Structures are given as structure tokens and as C-alpha cells.
């Protein structure tokens, strides 16, 4: 079990320590040989049903890298899969939906999530991890917009044309879809925290395809429902998206304690766009592929810019790339600790 004053938790609450805590989005998986060895060809959605395996895959990067937080091994589509919407995750592709969300009648396929019945293995994994871990466990969910984009498009999509069309053409149906997805995310996050997760992150990875006014009108109410619906649990809430430079102000208004920033906006500038918020980020994931000198320069620049925020959680600007060398990730941890 971790301490309540663990550096990651203290920093999320706005306390500034000697150096920022560090963890990496997508630290489990892809880039780790021990992950590939342990998981084999098992599909991630099947792997999630095995709490001991989930605990092991969550612990692997913590052991190897000595990061300040663990993130539960799961996926943003796990809740929709658990209620039987018909989602699979194809390796190298991402989530693929058998029958995409297109009509009013598809709302009936999005019933409420009852975690203790639909995915009891998840709370079991969280309990195992809470007992084992010495650093805080971060639970997570996909934000309503990003999950909706998979359900509406049927799979990964660069421009989210159908999604952006639906929210304009059928704002009523869109609002009903997002409200159901907010309830799913909230039920999943509450159950993760009740089982022992110390913090949560809401991933709105693809929100960057929206303008700020569109985000505020069609997306923020649902994300706010998730984030404020956790307030009574007293755990730090981080809200992250990619390409969201123009949305940082709006995301800061949605109810989170920490705003995640991708690599496109330096943290000192992000601090102006999201005033008063603790910031998380934002090393460009490709800096890990560019050689030791570039890496050191860029880590130092992120640390320096991060001092403009009330407090700073060091991370990448998005997930670890599959081609990243784990030894280079370990070097980042070392550089951050050196300050
Ligand atoms: O270490 C961690 O961060 C833990 C777990 C984690 C996974 N997915 C495991 C996973 C987290 C936090 C996610 C979130 C997730 N999933 C997001 C938000 C974060 C982001 O990257 O923006 C998104 C958009 C997804 C959807 C998704 N699931 C994608 C794009 C992929 C990758 C497809 C591929 O293979 O390239 C997945 C599958 C997935 N999720 C894998 C893992 C470890 C790979 C599956 C495997 O190893 O079989």
C-alpha cells in the first residue's frame, strides 16, 4: 500500500516537492519485452478477466522503471465491451465495433454498467494491486467523446467525420449518447476507486478534433458529469487529451484537478491557458527515439516550463510509442529525479 502523501498524490493536490513525480501514459505493454512474454497472443479484453495477470502487467513497468504511479492495465473500451455493445480490440489497429452507433435504437444497446456483475474481475485486480503497490494506482476511463467516436465511427478514425456530423445534425441523440457514456465511465471509475484506486484519469484522447465552442456545448457537460460525480470520493482527477491546445481553458473548467497537456503546447503557455491547474506532461514521445543528447535537452526544457504551473506531474505528451526502448524510459525517470 502507498502513503497518502506519496509524491504523485501530493503533487496532484498542488503541493510542490523537490522534483516532479513521473509516470508514463501507456507505460504497460507494447514497449516492454516482459509484457509481450507474459501476455502472449491473448487478446487484451480476455486478459482483463484474469486479475492476477492484470496485476502483473500493471506492476511490470513500476518494477522496471521505478515510476511514481501505476496505471491499471485495462482499456477505454472495457466498460462498453462489458455491457455487450460488441467491441473488439485488434492488435495494431485498436477498438473495432461490430455494429456502430447510428440511430436512436442503438441507445438501447447502452444499458447501465453494474461493475460487480458485468466486470467483477476489475475490482479484484484493483484490490490485488492496492495490497501490492508502493506507489499510487491510477484508475482510468475513456471520456464520453472519445469512446463515442469509436462507437460512431466503428473503429479508429483520423478525422471523426461521422461523429462530428452526428453531434451537429442530431444534438438530441448525441446528448443522449454522451450521457449514457458518462454514466458508464462514472460507474467504472467509482468502482475502481471504491476497490482502492488512489486517483483517476479521464482520457479524452481525440477531443482535439473539436473547436472550443463545439467542445463546450456538445462534450463538456458529459465530461463534467463524470468528473464532478467523483468529487465525494476525494481522489485527484486528471483530464487529458491530444491536440487540445485550443481546449485547455475549457478542459480546465470541466472539473478536474490536473490537466494533461500534449507536446504541442509548452507547459508555461499551458499554465496561462489553464490558470490555477496542476499540469501533467508533456515530453514529445519521439524524444525517446532521438538519442541521449536530444532527450536530456528536452526533458530539461519540460521541467523548466513546468515550473510555471502551480505543480507539475512529469509525463509524455501522449502514450509511450511501441518502438521506445525501456532503458530510455528509465533514463527519463533518472533525468527527472536529477531535476
Ligand atoms: O500502461 C497503460 O497506460 C495502461 C493501459 C492502457 C491501455 N489502453 C492498454 C492497451 C490505457 C490507459 C489505454 C487507454 C486507451 N486505449 C486510450 C487512451 C490513451 C491514448 O492512447 O490516447 C485509447 C485511445 C485506447 C484505444 C486503444 N486500445 C488503442 C488506440 C489501442 C492500440 C492498438 C494497437 O495495438 O496499436 C488499444 C489496445 C491496447 N490498449 C493495448 C494495450 C496494452 C494493445 C493491446 C495488446 O497488447 O494486445
Amino acid at each position: 500500500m502507498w502513503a497518502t502523501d506519496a509524491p504523485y498524490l501530493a503533487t496532484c493536490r498542488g503541493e510542490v516537492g523537490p522534483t516532479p513525480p513521473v509516470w508514463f501514459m501507456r507505460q504497460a505493454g507494447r514497449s516492454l519485452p516482459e509484457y509481450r512474454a507474459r501476455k502472449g497472443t491473448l487478446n487484451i479484453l480476455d486478459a482483463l478477466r484474469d486479475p492476477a495477470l492484470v496485476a502483473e502487467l500493471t506492476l511490470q513497468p513500476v518494477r522496471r522503471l521505478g515510476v511514481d504511479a501505476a496505471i491499471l492495465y485495462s482499456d477505454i473500451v472495457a466498460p462498453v465491451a462489458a455491457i455487450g455493445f460488441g467491441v473488439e480490440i485488434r492488435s495494431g489497429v485498436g477498438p473495432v465495433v461490430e455494429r456502430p452507433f447510428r440511430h436512436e435504437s442503438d441507445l438501447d444497446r447502452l444499458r447501465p454498467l453494474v461493475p460487480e456483475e458485468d466486470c467483477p474481475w476489475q475490482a479484484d485486480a484493483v484490490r490485488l494491486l492496492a495490497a501490492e503497490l508502493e506507489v499510487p494506482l491510477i484508475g482510468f476511463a475513456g471520456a464520453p467523446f472519445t469512446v463515442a467516436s469509436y462507437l460512431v465511427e466503428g473503429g479508429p478514425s483520423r478525422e471523426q467525420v461521422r461523429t462530428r456530423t452526428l453531434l451537429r445534425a442530431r444534438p438530441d441523440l448525441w446528448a443522449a449518447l454522451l450521457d449514457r457514456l458518462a454514466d458508464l465511465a462514472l460507474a467504472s471509475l467509482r468502482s475502481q476507486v471504491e476497490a482502492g484506486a488512489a486517483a483517476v484519469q479521464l482520457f479524452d484522447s481525440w477531443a482535439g478534433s473539436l473547436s472550443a465552442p463545439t467542445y463546450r456545448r456538445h462534450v463538456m457537460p458529459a465530461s463534467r458529469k463524470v468528473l464532478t460525480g467523483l468529487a465525494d470520493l476525494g481522489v485527484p482527477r486528471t483530464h487529458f487529451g491530444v491536440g487540445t491546445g485550443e481546449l485547455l481553458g475549457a478542459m480546465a473548467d470541466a472539473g478536474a484537478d490536473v490537466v494533461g497537456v500534449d507536446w504541442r503546447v509548452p507547459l508555461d503557455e499551458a499554465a496561462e491557458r489553464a490558470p490555477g491547474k496542476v499540469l501533467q506532461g508533456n515530453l514529445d514521445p519521439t524524444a525517446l527515439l532521438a538519442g541521449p543528447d536530444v532527450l536530456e535537452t528536452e526533458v530539461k526544457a519540460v521541467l523548466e516550463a513546468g515550473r510555471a504551473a502551480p505543480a507539475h506531474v512529469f509525463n509524455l505528451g501522449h502514450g509511450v510509442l511501441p518502438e521506445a526502448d525501456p532503458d530510455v524510459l528509465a533514463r527519463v525517470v533518472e533525468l527527472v529525479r536529477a531535476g
Side-chain angles (χ1 to χ4, degrees):
M1 191 70 193
W2 52 85
T4 51
D5 63 350
Y8 168 74
L9 297 174
T11 303
C12 290
R13 290 190 296 258
E15 297 163 31
V16 179
T19 59
V22 48
W23 70 280
F24 302 108
M25 292 183 278
R26 307 293 301 272
Q27 64 193 14
R30 315 187 286 182
S31 67
L32 299 186
E34 61 268 36
Y35 171 83
R36 297 192 291 267
R38 183 70 172 80
K39 181 171 154 291
T41 55
L42 194 61
N43 185 274
I44 177 170
L45 291 177
D46 296 323
L48 296 186
R49 293 167 177 267
D50 179 347
L53 178 59
V54 168
E56 172 60 21
L57 298 177
T58 302
L59 287 164
Q60 284 178 345
V62 179
R63 281 193 208 111
R64 183 196 266 261
L65 306 170
V67 280
D68 290 294
I71 181 158
L72 182 66
Y73 181 76
S74 180
D75 194 81
I76 59 166
V77 296
V80 275
I83 61 161
F85 194 85
V87 189
E88 55 168 309
I89 296 185
R90 294 204 190 127
S91 173
V93 178
V96 175
V97 173
E98 210 175 301
R99 280 194 296 136
F101 184 99
R102 295 286 153 78
H103 308 289
E104 215 87 45
S105 60
D106 291 317
L107 283 174
D108 299 338
R109 298 163 58 208
L110 285 168
R111 65 164 175 84
L113 176 76
V114 185
E116 44 297 7
E117 286 167 20
D118 295 321
C119 51
W121 49 82
Q122 178 164 270
D124 290 342
V126 171
R127 279 187 283 268
L128 287 177
L129 283 160
E132 183 93 1
L133 275 165
E134 281 163 26
V135 294
L137 176 68
I138 303 170
F140 73 91
F145 174 79
T146 291
V147 175
S149 80
Y150 285 109
L151 302 191
V152 173
E153 304 294 335
S157 157
R158 207 138 72 98
E159 301 271 358
Q160 285 122 18
V161 170
R162 279 180 185 275
T163 313
R164 286 158 53 215
T165 305
L166 180 70
L167 70 82
R168 291 177 162 78
R170 293 292 316 276
D172 50 335
L173 177 57
W174 172 257
L177 167 61
L178 255 64
D179 195 58
R180 296 215 182 187
L181 294 176
D183 290 342
L184 279 185
L186 187 53
S188 174
L189 289 170
R190 289 192 69 88
S191 118
Q192 293 174 54
V193 173
E194 279 157 10
V200 298
Q201 178 157 320
L202 191 63
F203 281 97
D204 211 350
S205 301
W206 313 138
S209 69
L210 304 173
S211 70
T214 303
Y215 174 85
R216 283 191 185 268
R217 174 161 169 215
H218 294 289
V219 171
M220 199 159 116
S223 292
R224 186 198 290 280
K225 184 178 191 185
V226 180
L227 291 164
T228 58
L230 297 162
D232 61 306
L233 298 176
V235 296
R237 299 154 293 178
T238 298
H239 194 185
F240 166 79
V242 182
T244 46
E246 298 297 329
L247 304 181
L248 289 173
M251 288 175 75
D253 288 344
D257 309 287
V258 182
V259 173
V261 183
D262 86 352
W263 65 90
R264 292 171 179 88
V265 180
L267 291 179
D268 48 354
E269 208 167 315
E272 288 175 17
R273 297 186 193 186
K277 291 291 170 184
V278 176
L279 297 182
Q280 175 177 283
N282 70 345
L283 184 70
D284 189 320
T286 61
L288 275 73
L289 313 176
D293 298 342
V294 172
L295 184 72
E296 188 166 342
T297 306
E298 295 207 16
V299 169
K300 288 192 169 148
V302 170
L303 289 170
E304 180 55 36
R307 292 193 185 103
H312 174 208
V313 175
F314 194 99
N315 207 311
L316 305 183
H318 195 190
V320 176
L321 295 165
E323 51 273 63
D325 176 345
D327 291 342
V328 177
L329 279 168
R331 175 72 184 141
V332 175
V333 174
E334 211 174 271
L335 288 166
V336 173
R337 299 256 162 85

